[in-house]
Amino acid sequence: MTATASTDARTAARELITPERLRDFFAPRSIALVGASETSGWARFIVAASSAVGYTGPLLPVHPRHEVIFGRPAFRTLRDLDEPADLAFILAPTEAVQTVIEDAAAAGVRNAVVLASGYREAGTGGVELEDSLIASAASHGIVLLGPNCLGFLNTGAKAAPYALTVPLPLTAGPVGIALQSGALASVLLAFARAHAIGVSTVASLGNEAMITTADMLDYLVADEQTKVICMFLEEIGDPAAFSAAAQRADAVGKPIVALKAGASQAGQQAALAHTGAVAGDDAVVDAALRQLNIIRVASVEELLTTAALLGYDRHPAGRRMGVLTASGGACDIIADRASARGIEIPPFSAETTQVIAAQLPSFATARNPLDVTGYVLANARTTTLTAIDRALDVAVEDPGLDFVLFTGFTVPDIRPPDEAAAGLLEARVDWIAARMASAPIPVIPIAPTCIDVTGYARDLLGQHDIRLLGGIELAVQAIDNALRWQDGRGQVRLLPGQPPALVGTVTAWTESTARDLLTSAGIPVVPGRLAGSADQAAEAARALGGPVALKISSAQVSHKSDIGGVLLNVSGDAAVRAGYEQVVAAAAGHLGTGHQGGNEVLVTSMRTGGIEVLAGVTRDPGFGPVLAVGLGGIWVELLRDTSLRVLPADASQVRQMLDELRALPVLQGARGVVAADLDVLADVIARIGALALSIPGLQVLEVNPLWICGDQVEALDVLVVTDRSNDSEYREKAGTEPAT
Amino acid sequence: MTATASTDARTAARELITPERLRDFFAPRSIALVGASETSGWARFIVAASSAVGYTGPLLPVHPRHEVIFGRPAFRTLRDLDEPADLAFILAPTEAVQTVIEDAAAAGVRNAVVLASGYREAGTGGVELEDSLIASAASHGIVLLGPNCLGFLNTGAKAAPYALTVPLPLTAGPVGIALQSGALASVLLAFARAHAIGVSTVASLGNEAMITTADMLDYLVADEQTKVICMFLEEIGDPAAFSAAAQRADAVGKPIVALKAGASQAGQQAALAHTGAVAGDDAVVDAALRQLNIIRVASVEELLTTAALLGYDRHPAGRRMGVLTASGGACDIIADRASARGIEIPPFSAETTQVIAAQLPSFATARNPLDVTGYVLANARTTTLTAIDRALDVAVEDPGLDFVLFTGFTVPDIRPPDEAAAGLLEARVDWIAARMASAPIPVIPIAPTCIDVTGYARDLLGQHDIRLLGGIELAVQAIDNALRWQDGRGQVRLLPGQPPALVGTVTAWTESTARDLLTSAGIPVVPGRLAGSADQAAEAARALGGPVALKISSAQVSHKSDIGGVLLNVSGDAAVRAGYEQVVAAAAGHLGTGHQGGNEVLVTSMRTGGIEVLAGVTRDPGFGPVLAVGLGGIWVELLRDTSLRVLPADASQVRQMLDELRALPVLQGARGVVAADLDVLADVIARIGALALSIPGLQVLEVNPLWICGDQVEALDVLVVTDRSNDSEYREKAGTEPAT
């Protein structure tokens, strides 16, 4: 299949994927298991998963040789079905899949899950096979999940064509899950079970040949049962579609929480090996996810705990936390973790303090974080409510708090054999649940550590729709994540994405051409002149006044300083003339004779007393142009103190980037320098970003240093590297001739 | 009670605490419950805890009014016992405790746990009460745990005078636990149960009136069952005793893992409120714990997971990790987390790769980290060993690996009803356990997330003495912790500690006196002269040659720059004279007329071209003198890039401190400056530390900047602040007169 045919097939496939088709796809009422046999673990898993979700429709075995499978009569092919199944789960080996698709088409089956591997993830031959598969399915109007996937389960529609273990009991609930790694689904479901976190639709996306991650996001955004979306990502895919889906999620207030692999180089290699994905620079992914208000987490535990908070409970709107515990040690640990995440524990109001103090033994202190002390637990057997409950009752009314963290649930796994004790406990949980519901601020119940909620505790809390977040560490992470999601709402913009530029044919512009480009875009450039001789250099220096910089001007020298092609702070006629000869000689030594432009030297004014900033645009293979902003010198070299944004970014976004720098105090004048006007600086940097976006084939546009002193900004040095194939476009765009 | 009487009582108490007494204390064979009643939750907890550990000795209720408690006949007082109990657990209210101690003495009871609160943690009155209690107990030879504590449990000796819930089943094992917060014990035990982590002795230390944290450390170091020690700390207490115990633990190879509260200011306040402890600066605590090779963790989960790794398994000796999984997603996450912690995942050897490749389906890749793919799981029903087991078999022989992380245990909670399947599974676990035991490198089995190990899985793995670390995140933390402990062995030195200096009577020395002090200790100081007039200043400048610095020399001006008392880079007679007048005028403006020394100006040479370092000693209220080393300027101001050590620290330790700085590349010449000779620098800084230790009452000794250029080091400015009450000692020590 040619590249064009492949593109046509994918375009036809895209047209099939509508919200209605996806809704139908994920809610089949009859499922054919093609290639199922009794010895197939996959088929057994599907049968068990179907039972786990309460699937009541037919599971129709289809096999060319077996008569009866799992006690059900088998069909030879899909064509033999009495009526078309809603979905075919294709367990057949890779080489048989194409035929099954043809059968499905003939039988009127419109949806298929393809388990087989050996497609795109297996290299060149696999890519062709996958293209054929899509072309075939699309031509028949068949929507396909996979290949190389394990299917999905949908607790709302009670369907589970899902070929992996489902830990029991499976709880239905608000958490939608999309995974680019199939086997990880069982890991997530096991943790969800342990904490009674309910799921809506869980899908393994495989190679995303037709249904992509962005499609799945769209489906989950539209799905009424889903209140929060969890993703495991190995690659982002198409940034435009992905960001559009994220924008829709933001618009309707459905948080997206993502565990994105590849934070480490090692992680990138692992991702490369098993999905064939090309992972970009992780810092860019980090920036992009933040721009899309997608909460990035580091573990499955954090992923699901955050989802549990955002999916079920009223989550907090502010950072002022009340803490109610029966352990001083827990108070200490909560305070430490909260402080590390910028969550405040303000004093209780006078009224709250007074009411709580009346409930406590004399040696306990009525303060936030509150330790009601173990005495309260030891004496809890005779009354429904304990001191921690009374504290809850009043703390939720405290106007100085945004939410209350509550560790007061100590429900055993087994119902207390003493009926009176059980009755007291149940009455207490009733009361707390009702108080949580009536409270003006959210109450977040947590367990002190990440342990399972099982047996009686699971049942009793479940009846009251109460979920304990699993442990202080994870709960505080989840709360911080929820607050960050809240803060980021309403600011999600589309990331257009751009095809990667060609590699191997890049060209650096001469600095003087690059300076003209900046000037034409309204970006201030330090005064300078091109000199073709020592005389011209001296004349330029006189005209500029004050000490000057001398820089060789050749497109063939990209690292001018490294070859001795730059002299700074040169004063006086003689020195300028000597300097001119020196940098020309250095370039000649580097390039040999006969090179172009090797006798041209750029003479520019020196600037002192301000601050030097770096503003650079590079091209990420996935996201396209990315803007990096930082202070020059050690800040970038040693401290990697840069802020990134996938472009476009307007001046207000650049202003936020500056605020994120550790070096911000330097810009604000901390080192005795003139404070920078950050709005002016942000405006100029935003122009640099916009300019970069306007140049087709741009590889690098780096202004370093960009000098700022108060509200005066000038580009002191600029590097432009482009894909040479677009030369004519540059000329039109920049109105200048690129060198070479 | 007078302060002396109190000190005498504590000294007497200290003499009682011997290793033998502690061993007896924690292994009572008969226990009296004094003040127990059927309505006391505490007493019920003790009965239940005793049953949980399999205690078979007598629990003897003692109560002034009840006849029968828990079906056992009660004694009126301890004096009425037939024979002395090994231990009295005193549940009586605070006001009755003293009488019970007298009774215990009369009855020959030698050990007591005191539950009551209202002592030191309750303020001044409580301190007196606690002193009386100790004096009384010590005078009768009674060793006492608490007050304000919940007791202890000892699974080896099967004794549990422990007044809190014990989650069942309780597993005996290698983890000893000492807690400064009582109620937290149940939290730890619940997590330990969830992961089948076995404990030896668990003690709640309360106010540590007699048995201190250091005593408990000593006990656990001596205890044969204990292989690793976990602590929850609110304060360190006596650094000398604590560090001596840590040194003994290090010597015998018992790791100490500590969750120390107070990392946040908020945390410090919480600690203050409920234990009355005075927490020092957390960065100092952090440094001190590292010096003692105590692994500091951030959560209860990390504490116990690290202990499980160190207590049971052969833990790794190096950072090269093999990873075996059945999920590509798990591979990715493990790689990311490992990379964040500096754990390597090197390629397998050619032989390992070859053997593994033969086990895998064609679409899977034989690489480290290894994903055997879900196909292997789906087809696992018919053979004992799967591809991941075969991979384990060969990977443990790979010479390029230090250990193997293994996620291949997927044991269900309930035994498979199919007997053949159960048989295969059990044979497989047998084989893996045997292979782990015979492997030349440690195999660390983990669960993909932090979920409980229960039922059949708990039993089957327990029979093979296999413990799954709970989740990728915690497992990788634990491995890094174990490696850091390994790296830190054999370097633990005593921290002497020093009483806090008096506050409110401190004095800053004049810089010239302080310079003399440095010189007398062999620390190079930039050349300089004191000038009492403009003429003298000009003469001094001429003698020194080159530009000079002029600094007002007065003990009454501690921040010379802030009042305009410093001029830098002054050249030429006229400028020096004018400069002299200027700084004197600035000081006069600040101090008014008639102050001492206000016309003295220190004239020193200027230094350029090198690097400015800060080396300062301050006094921590708990640990005494602490050395801070960092680069000057932004590094300290904005980046807080300092390394700390509790003194003493020799030159090799200071060298390590330099290596820890983020700014290290600057010292190594990264910014185009002359690289510093780090050994020379470390030597000078070590001398500064030693000098600080030698000065009684020292509050601050700060050399800032300490200038270094190659191997040339000079103190450019020095500040000494001391407790004025020791003036005569300074004079002897420094051979100079401090000003004022």
Side-chain angles (χ1 to χ4, degrees), chain A residues 12 60 246 278 351 467 473:
Chain A
L60 307 161
V278 177
E351 196 193 327
R467 243 146 304 270
E473 179 77 12

Side-chain angles (χ1 to χ4, degrees), chain A residues 41 44 181 193 234 261-264 271 273-274 301 329 332 335-336 339 378 381 413 449-450 452 634 637 662 671, chain B residues 41 44 181 193 234 261-264 273-274 301 328-329 332 335-336 339 367 378 381 413 449-450 452 634 637 662 671:
Chain A
R44 265 199 317 276
S181 165
R193 175 186 68 159
E234 287 169 341
S264 63
H274 66 83
E301 293 92 333
D332 293 344
D336 280 359
S339 163
R381 290 282 183 115
D413 296 348
T449 64
C450 182
D452 293 7
I634 51 165
E637 288 168 31
R662 267 188 285 163
R671 296 291 296 155
Chain B
R44 267 198 316 275
S181 163
R193 174 187 68 160
E234 286 169 340
S264 63
H274 66 83
E301 292 93 333
D332 293 344
D336 279 359
S339 164
R367 61 190 297 282
R381 290 280 184 116
D413 296 347
T449 63
C450 181
D452 292 9
I634 52 164
E637 287 168 31
R662 267 187 284 162
R671 296 291 296 153

Side-chain angles (χ1 to χ4, degrees), chain B residues 565-582:
Chain B
V566 176
L567 287 175
L568 298 179
N569 230 359
V570 184
S571 288
D573 254 33
V576 170
R577 282 171 198 278
Y580 172 88
E581 300 297 353
Q582 190 179 332

Side-chain angles (χ1 to χ4, degrees), chain B residues 253 255 309-318 402-403 442 444 482-483 485-486:
Chain B
L309 177 61
L310 285 164
Y312 281 102
D313 302 297
R314 294 183 304 162
H315 40 82
D402 294 312
F403 67 101
I444 302 175
L483 288 165
W485 174 76
Q486 191 72 39

Side-chain angles (χ1 to χ4, degrees), chain B residues 90-110:
Chain B
I90 304 176
L91 300 148
T94 316
E95 57 276 14
V97 170
Q98 190 78 38
T99 308
V100 176
I101 293 289
E102 302 296 335
D103 290 348
V109 175
R110 298 173 71 226

Side-chain angles (χ1 to χ4, degrees), chain A residues 39-42 44-45 115-118 121-122 164 181 183-184 187 190-191 193-195 232 234 259-271 273-274 296 298-301 326-333 335-337 339 345 363 365 367 369 371 374-375 377-379 381 413 448-452 454 470-473 633-635 637-639 662-663 665-666 670-671, chain B residues 39-42 44-45 115-118 121-122 164 181 183-184 187 190-191 193-195 232 234 259-271 273-274 296 298-301 326-333 335-337 339 345 363 365 367 369 371 374-375 377-379 381 413 448-452 454 470-473 633-635 637-639 662-663 665-666 670-671:
Chain A
T39 59
S40 157
W42 305 121
R44 265 199 317 276
F45 286 143
L115 177 79
S117 300
E121 84 287 359
L164 205 62
S181 165
L184 207 61
V187 172
F191 189 81
R193 175 186 68 159
H195 296 275
F232 175 77
E234 287 169 341
L259 179 56
K260 165 74 177 68
S264 63
Q265 194 56 37
Q268 286 186 29
Q269 288 165 1
H274 66 83
R296 188 174 189 180
S299 68
V300 170
E301 293 92 333
S327 155
C331 276
D332 293 344
I333 300 168
D336 280 359
R337 303 327 294 156
S339 163
I345 306 179
F363 51 83
T365 315
R367 61 189 298 282
D371 167 18
Y375 277 72
L377 294 182
N379 299 307
R381 290 282 183 115
D413 296 348
T449 64
C450 182
I451 56 175
D452 293 7
T454 55
I472 292 168
E473 179 77 12
I634 51 165
W635 299 97
E637 288 168 31
L638 299 184
L639 303 178
R662 267 188 285 163
V666 175
R671 296 291 296 155
Chain B
T39 59
S40 157
W42 306 120
R44 267 198 316 275
F45 286 142
L115 177 79
S117 300
E121 85 286 359
L164 205 60
S181 163
L184 206 61
V187 172
F191 189 82
R193 174 187 68 160
H195 296 275
F232 175 77
E234 286 169 340
L259 178 56
K260 166 74 176 70
S264 63
Q265 195 55 37
Q268 286 188 28
Q269 288 165 0
H274 66 83
R296 188 175 190 180
S299 68
V300 170
E301 292 93 333
S327 155
C331 277
D332 293 344
I333 300 169
D336 279 359
R337 304 326 296 158
S339 164
I345 305 179
F363 52 84
T365 316
R367 61 190 297 282
D371 167 18
Y375 278 71
L377 293 182
N379 301 306
R381 290 280 184 116
D413 296 347
T449 63
C450 181
I451 56 175
D452 292 9
T454 54
I472 292 168
E473 178 77 13
I634 52 164
W635 299 97
E637 287 168 31
L638 298 185
L639 303 177
R662 267 187 284 162
V666 176
R671 296 291 296 153

Side-chain angles (χ1 to χ4, degrees), chain B residues 20-53:
Chain B
E20 296 71 29
R21 275 306 292 273
L22 286 173
R23 201 176 53 221
D24 289 351
F25 185 94
F26 287 109
R29 283 151 306 174
S30 59
I31 299 170
L33 304 182
V34 187
S37 72
E38 306 225 349
T39 59
S40 157
W42 306 120
R44 267 198 316 275
F45 286 142
I46 294 170
V47 171
S50 297
S51 151
V53 298

